[in-house]
């Protein structure tokens, strides 16, 4: 068999398996014919890995030849995607091979980045820590692997003991976290993707999965093409690709999703169509306090009913623009217990100054109506990044958190963490570090004006483009003496190019890794190809710095027995000097870190299996519980007796309940107007977001020629009538400006999506056209997540003065 | 040369038959066994650009409801992304 025949055989095997899955809806692994990885002949070796991009967590098969990734196929053994991938997924291998990979450490000297050695680079990082440990912060990512995030977290919380670590996931799902915590007392969805296969109605609360989670969306649409009756309802502020597949597209005014949720709850209560038995058995009612807290204040059902009384369909229509008839239609659906309803949401509800509140309200509608816990009945948040759940929420890399759902503020949690890490009592501090916006604000100020963060080490993200209001939160530090920015990355991103020290990183299958996707699924992969030049694993970078600090005598680098904080032993029980790069892969560092981290996972019933179980699987959903026969069983539906082994009484048990009585909380939150709305000077709403071809700030996907060609630059999408009123043509370059900043963008009319009259949309994938110069840094009071979805802007033609 | 694995979903109307005949006759395509209205096939094109154009052409064919790309090989590709 020659190479061409081999490629054809494998491609046909992958396509045949996928065709079987698409047609039958079942497991394509059962499809007749040859599996892609079993195809005879050829010099390509195949192994599994999760896709590098979004939080869906598809698995790919990676084909490697001669130390290079040469082919990608959907993994037909993977339950998430059953052999399918989206346009980004099947190009993921090319993300490694942009021609400008960073291959050497670089130090800024006289304004220019110049190559230095790794030894010098590690010394510089260690110097910065030794100079001022309290002012040293790590800014990480939901793209960190779990061991990378865990190591950085331990370095900061157990080693430097200043809690100054926060990830970019603060910007994408922090409100989902606070919503789960305030409703169930513990984070992450109760349901999983299986709900999408069973639901009769799927409601999109301000998200566009046809572009952002395309494989999940096709899982829904495929059911329809097989003749199943699935109703898709798109609650949105702009017409998107998702709208094109929906039976009902309900346009709402920005921020008014709270009023819609209250309108549905009002009708359920008013008509008596809520599920009284479910509510009586499993729920309490709650209202907000001032200042708001996750616990809130108890309220009775009668008080809840009275609070909702204002939200009549007509009143909600006035606030939201969604017709009273459609509000009634939504309430009819929730009032029907014969239907199974799944709600999905992502950034629309999370990037919201009332993010926690709207998350609470959507959970509340499901609880109130009893649409909870049966397969297909679920309120489910989706994440944008591949390991926002695994690395941020579970490994606890937020400024207030510890691994496994612990928080620094609780003495019993700190004590347990100190036990697991073998630290002297009191090492972990109770005061949370700064959340993302605050961390960067303090980095942007001189020390004598409250700027007490003087060094930030950024790993695996691009804050120069992804922070909101970058003119205020990112750029000032670059001109301030005494501020030092370290960036570990794979490409010369906007952040790397603004850094004082750049560390070249290995990416994806150039290193071992583990991710955790949106449905509590922990995934594992092995290194398959070498990184280019002197690029090295982020985890190694963190551990090598830790070792330098230990060698220099920084007290926090020792445990209570005086041993190095990260002591990893080989099979013979001998400590391995993995901080020396040539020795790093003498031992599986990921396995060692994961086995330590796993000890945290039991306390909040987020049990993880041993590392080697994940080697065999295409991911497992926690809690993963050992069975009497020694096998490990994952959990699909938490808090429900039919699947969750931790439910010991009743059909449902919320065993981490805020009220400590096994009940979930149904909250009332009023609608409040947004912090900034269009006015005479800035008459348009601005919404930002993604497109299917690109991921995050485009630093990887813009280097994949096929994706770059398909969507080469950012644009401002306008309604044709707004463009006509301004005298603006399709393709014309205009100025989009807010009170915080401006940029020039080409106009796209009648493009892929259509914004409502009076609003514009700009994607953030294009590093050259940074829309976050214009966005607001106003954030939710509990989650601290900023609102990227609504602020006021104006659009003007070039050469025409601002009014 | 790029080799891609695709699944073409045929429409449930009379156009599907003519689409099938057209796909059979196209020398760039090797067809697999259909499963109901899903047809697995392999598409060969001289380079990535031609491969993308071929997918677009298939999508525009009467009788084709949808095209899913399942696998791609890019071993002969010289990445030329912007730096
Ligand atoms: S849906 Fe997300 S995880 Fe799946 S292939 Fe596409 S980008 Fe990758």
């Amino acid at each position: 068999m020659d190479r061409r025949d081999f490629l054809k055989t494998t491609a046909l095997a992958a396509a045949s398996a996928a065709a079987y899955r698409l047609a039958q809806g079942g497991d394509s692994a059962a499809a007749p014919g040859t599996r892609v990885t079993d195809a005879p002949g050829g010099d390509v070796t195949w192994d599994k890995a999760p896709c590098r991009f979004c939080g869906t967590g598809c698995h790919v098969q990676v084909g490697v030849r001669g130390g290079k990734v040469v082919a990608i196929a959907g993994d037909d053994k993977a339950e998430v995607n059953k052999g399918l991938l989206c346009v980004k997924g099947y190009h993921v291998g090319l993300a490694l091979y942009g021609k400008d990979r960073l291959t050497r450490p670089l130090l800024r000297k006289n304004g220019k980045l110049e190559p230095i050695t790794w030894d010098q680079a590690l010394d510089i990082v260690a110097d910065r820590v030794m100079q001022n440990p309290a002012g040293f912060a790590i800014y990480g990512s939901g793209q960190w692997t779990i061991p990378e995030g865990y190591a950085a977290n331990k370095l900061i919380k157990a080693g430097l003991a200043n809690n100054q670590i926060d990830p970019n996931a603060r910007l994408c799902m922090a409100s989902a976290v606070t919503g789960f915590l305030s409703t169930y007392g513990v984070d992450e969805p109760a349901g999983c993707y299986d709900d999408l296969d069973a639901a009769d109605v799927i409601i999109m609360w301000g998200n566009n999965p046809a572009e952002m989670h395309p494989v999940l969306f096709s899982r829904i649409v495929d059911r329809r093409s097989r003749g199943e009756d699935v109703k898709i309802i798109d609650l949105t502020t702009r017409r998107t690709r998702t709208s094109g597949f929906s039976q009902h597209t309900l346009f709402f005014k920005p921020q008014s999703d709270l009023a819609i949720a209250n309108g549905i709850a009002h009708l359920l209560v008013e008509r008596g169509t809520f599920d009284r038995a479910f509510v009586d058995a499993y729920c309490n009612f709650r209202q907000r306090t001032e200042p708001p807290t996750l616990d809130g204040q108890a309220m009775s059902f009668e008080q809840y009913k009275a609070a909702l009384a204002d939200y009549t369909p007509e009143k909600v229509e006035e606030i939201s623009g969604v017709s009273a008839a459609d509000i009634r239609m939504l309430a009819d659906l929730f009032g029907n217990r014969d239907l199974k309803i799944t709600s999905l949401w992502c950034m629309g509800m999370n990037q919201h100054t009332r993010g926690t509140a709207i998350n609470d309200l959507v959970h509340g509608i499901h609880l109130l109506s009893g649409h909870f816990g049966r397969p297909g009945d679920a309120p489910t948040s989706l994440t944008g990044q591949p390991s926002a759940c695994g690395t941020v929420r579970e490994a606890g890399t937020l400024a207030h958190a510890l691994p496994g759902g612990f928080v620094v503020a609780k003495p019993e949690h700190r004590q347990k963490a100190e036990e697991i890490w073998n630290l002297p009592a009191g090492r972990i501090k109770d005061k949370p570090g700064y959340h993302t916006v605050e961390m960067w604000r303090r980095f942007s100020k001189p020390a004598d004006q409250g700027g007490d963060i003087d060094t930030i080490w950024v790993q695996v993200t691009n804050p120069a483009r992804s922070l909101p209001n970058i003119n205020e939160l990112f750029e000032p530090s670059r001109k301030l003496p005494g501020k030092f920015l370290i960036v570990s990355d794979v490409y010369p991103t906007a952040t790397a190019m603004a850094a004082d020290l750049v560390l070249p990183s290995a990416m994806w299958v150039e290193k071992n890794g583990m991710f955790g996707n949106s449905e509590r699924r922990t995934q594992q992969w092995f290194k398959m190809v070498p990184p280019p030049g002197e690029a090295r694993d982020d985890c190694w970078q963190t551990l090598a710095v830790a070792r330098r600090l230990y060698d220099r005598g920084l007290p926090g680098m020792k445990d209570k027995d005086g041993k190095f904080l990260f002591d990893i032993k080989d099979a013979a029980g001998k400590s391995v000097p993995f901080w020396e790069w040539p020795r790093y892969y003498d031992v599986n560092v990921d396995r060692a870190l994961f086995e330590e981290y796993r000890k945290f996972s039991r306390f909040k019933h987020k049990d993880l299996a041993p590392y080697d179980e994940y080697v065999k699987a295409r991911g497992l959903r926690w809690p993963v519980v050992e069975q009497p026969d020694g096998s490990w069983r994952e959990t699909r539906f938490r808090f429900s007796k039919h699947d969750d082994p931790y439910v010991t009484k009743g059909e449902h048990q919320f065993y981490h309940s805020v009220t400590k009585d096994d009940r979930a909380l149904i909250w009332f939150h009023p609608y409040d107007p947004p912090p900034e709305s269009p006015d005479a000077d800035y008459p348009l709403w601005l919404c930002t977001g993604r497109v299917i071809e690109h991921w995050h700030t485009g630093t990887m996907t813009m280097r994949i020629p096929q994706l770059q060609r398909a969507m080469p630059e950012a644009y401002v999408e306008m309604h044709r009538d707004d463009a006509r009123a301004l005298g603006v043509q399709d393709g014309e370059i205009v100025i989009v400006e807010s009170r915080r900043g401006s940029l020039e963008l080409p106009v796209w009319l009648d493009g892929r999506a259509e914004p409502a009259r009076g609003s514009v949309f700009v994607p953030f994938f294009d590093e050259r056209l940074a829309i976050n110069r214009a966005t607001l840094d106003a954030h939710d009071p509990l989650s601290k997540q900023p609102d990227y979805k609504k602020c006021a802007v104006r659009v003007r033609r070039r050469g025409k003065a601002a009014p | 040369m790029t080799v891609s694995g695709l699944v073409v979903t045929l429409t449930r109307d009379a156009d599907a038959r003519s689409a099938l005949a057209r796909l059979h006759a196209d020398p760039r395509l090797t067809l697999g066994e259909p499963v109901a209205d899903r047809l697995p096939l392999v598409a060969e094109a001289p380079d990535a650009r031609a491969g993308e154009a071929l997918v677009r052409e298939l999508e525009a064919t009467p009788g084709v409801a949808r095209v899913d790309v399942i696998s791609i090989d890019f071993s002969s590709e010289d990445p030329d992304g912007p730096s």
Side-chain angles (χ1 to χ4, degrees), chain A residues 51 53-54 56-58 85-86 88-89 214-215:
Chain A
C51 172
F53 298 124
C54 86
T56 300
C58 301
L85 296 172
C86 79
K88 290 185 293 296
V215 168

Side-chain angles (χ1 to χ4, degrees), chain A residues 3-4 8 12 14-16 18 23 65 69-72 74 84 90-91 97 99-100 222 225 702 705-706 709, chain B residues 5-7 12 30 35 38 40 42 44 48-49 52 66 68-75 77 79-83:
Chain A
R3 200 173 119 62
R4 184 163 157 267
K8 285 177 68 175
L12 196 56
S16 297
R65 184 167 51 93
V69 174
V70 295
I72 291 293
L84 296 182
Y90 60 76
H91 287 107
Y97 301 119
K99 63 185 176 191
D100 57 346
D222 287 347
S225 62
M702 283 290 267
Q706 291 85 339
R709 283 197 291 268
Chain B
L6 312 179
V7 176
R12 292 181 177 178
T30 306
V35 189
R38 315 291 172 141
V42 173
E44 292 173 87
R49 254 177 221 270
E52 288 159 51
R66 171 175 142 182
D68 284 294
V69 181
I70 304 302
S71 68
I72 64 159
D73 144 71
F74 39 80
S75 52
E77 184 119 337
D80 56 353
S83 52

